[in-house]
Amino acid sequence: MRGKLPLSRVFFLIIVIAALSGGCEKKDDASLVPSYLYIEKIGLNTQYEQGTASHKITDAWVYVDETLIGAFELPATIPILTEGLKKITIRPGIKLNGISNTRAIYPYFTPIVKDIALVRDSVIQLKDTITSYRQGVMFPWMETFELSSMTLDTTAKSTVRLQRTNDPALRFTMAGEAGEYSGFVRMPADTSIFEAVTKEAYDFPAAGSEVFLEMNYKTDNALVVGVFYLSSSMQVQRPLLILNKSENWNKVYVNLTVPKYDTPNATDFRIFFGAQTDEGSEQANIYLDNLKLIYFNTSK
């Protein structure tokens, strides 16, 4: 749900202009008149090997000559108490784990840098606010469900199958994208259990390096996202996020960093998805697409 909620850990520039009257001499201070930038949205360009350009960039973190002005939910008209030619840097922001009060700069997107001539009491609309993935970003695992051989497999616990659908009414679609299939799970009763895990295991970078899972999803049932990993030769299953119902296709950035942070010796990470039909539901449907495991190449 998109609402105008306060941003935690985010700085706002508050501008107060007082007009005094009633026997007091009116004084104008030109330094209190802001210039304005308007940013409607931030787009994403990707290369073929980086998968879909689907994104959910919600915020713009704006810097003027390397000084943070604030983080603004888009679209936004941004007041700036200065004028003249300035270096404007915009860092795309997201909601970590889809939570409104955990907003942050997404580390894998390049900043947008422009030289802008600011004019007091005027609004400059920024165009071509397009970002891309940074150099050095790795995608060790991607699943788009376009191939009949999937990189996810259900576990012995699962009572239902992970399937593919090319039904235009059900699959993920995006203008300019060529995908024809999405993954889906049909859970017919309140005793159904779904659990699928990546067939391959992955070594996450050392503690201190961020790891994310990007995914598109649609579900009328709660869906758990987490990891399996080995620690001291023991297999650990670690749920990390519960996704609530979403009747439309949604995008989420799942933070997978925590297990490696608090368990530095953990190895052989495998991503899993799990669900049990919500109580009282006769049937549940879960749809997945454009799954991307992403982190920086720390070997360079």
Side-chain angles (χ1 to χ4, degrees):
M1 182 175 65
R2 184 182 177 88
K4 297 294 182 180
L5 300 176
L7 302 180
S8 65
R9 298 179 298 164
V10 173
F11 306 99
F12 283 101
L13 178 66
I14 303 175
I15 299 172
V16 179
I17 301 177
L20 302 178
S21 58
C24 297
E25 182 182 356
K26 182 177 180 180
K27 296 182 180 180
D28 294 325
D29 187 347
S31 67
L32 294 180
V33 179
S35 307
Y36 297 93
L37 292 178
Y38 177 75
I39 305 174
E40 181 180 3
K41 61 184 178 180
I42 297 175
L44 175 65
N45 283 339
T46 59
Q47 303 298 319
Y48 175 78
E49 64 276 9
Q50 297 171 335
T52 177
S54 168
H55 70 85
K56 195 171 184 180
I57 298 170
T58 55
D59 306 319
W61 292 64
V62 179
Y63 297 73
V64 176
D65 291 338
E66 307 303 331
T67 298
L68 177 64
I69 298 301
F72 303 86
E73 187 173 10
L74 299 175
T77 301
I78 301 159
I80 302 173
L81 279 178
T82 190
E83 62 181 336
L85 187 63
K86 301 294 179 181
K87 177 183 175 183
I88 306 297
T89 302
I90 304 162
R91 292 183 166 86
I94 62 164
K95 300 175 185 177
L96 294 174
N97 296 323
I99 302 171
S100 293
N101 63 355
T102 57
R103 299 175 185 249
I105 296 170
Y106 195 48
Y108 309 112
F109 289 154
T110 58
I112 301 161
V113 181
K114 295 177 178 289
D115 291 325
I116 303 293
L118 299 175
V119 180
R120 292 191 187 276
D121 203 24
S122 297
V123 180
I124 296 174
Q125 182 171 350
L126 294 189
K127 299 180 179 179
D128 299 322
T129 46
I130 306 294
T131 188
S132 58
Y133 286 109
R134 288 178 176 269
Q135 290 187 350
V137 170
M138 298 182 64
F139 301 86
W141 174 62
M142 285 198 293
E143 176 59 80
T144 61
F145 299 99
E146 296 305 310
L147 301 178
S148 58
S149 177
M150 290 182 283
T151 57
L152 284 164
D153 200 3
T154 51
T155 68
K157 187 188 302 183
S158 189
T159 61
V160 294
R161 295 185 302 131
L162 175 61
Q163 306 174 69
R164 299 190 309 147
T165 179
N166 62 354
D167 185 338
L170 301 177
R171 73 188 189 205
F172 175 81
T173 57
M174 179 179 172
E177 299 284 345
E180 296 183 357
Y181 286 87
S182 294
F184 87 100
V185 179
R186 179 161 294 131
M187 304 174 68
D190 59 5
T191 56
S192 295
I193 295 174
F194 164 64
E195 186 177 79
V197 64
T198 54
K199 293 179 180 179
E200 292 189 21
Y202 303 91
D203 283 332
F204 287 3
S209 298
E210 294 175 290
V211 182
F212 275 82
L213 171 69
E214 296 187 15
M215 58 182 287
N216 292 100
Y217 71 97
K218 181 172 70 170
T219 178
D220 54 14
N221 195 89
L223 175 65
V224 177
V225 183
V227 291
F228 285 95
Y229 58 86
L230 294 180
S231 177
S232 301
S233 301
M234 298 288 292
Q235 180 168 269
V236 178
Q237 183 174 15
R238 182 94 173 254
L240 295 173
L241 180 65
I242 299 176
L243 295 173
N244 295 322
K245 296 178 181 180
S246 178
E247 64 180 17
N248 298 313
W249 279 99
N250 201 355
K251 172 89 177 190
V252 68
Y253 302 85
V254 185
N255 190 347
L256 304 182
T257 309
V258 174
K260 191 68 176 181
Y261 178 81
D262 61 22
T263 314
N265 67 337
T267 61
D268 298 319
F269 285 87
R270 294 187 297 153
I271 299 165
F272 81 86
F273 304 90
Q276 182 170 351
T277 312
D278 292 338
E279 185 176 355
S281 297
E282 295 182 359
Q283 178 175 293
N285 297 284
I286 297 170
Y287 300 88
L288 302 171
D289 212 341
N290 305 314
L291 310 175
K292 300 181 188 181
L293 176 62
I294 178 171
Y295 50 73
F296 280 114
N297 181 359
T298 58
S299 62
K300 292 185 177 181

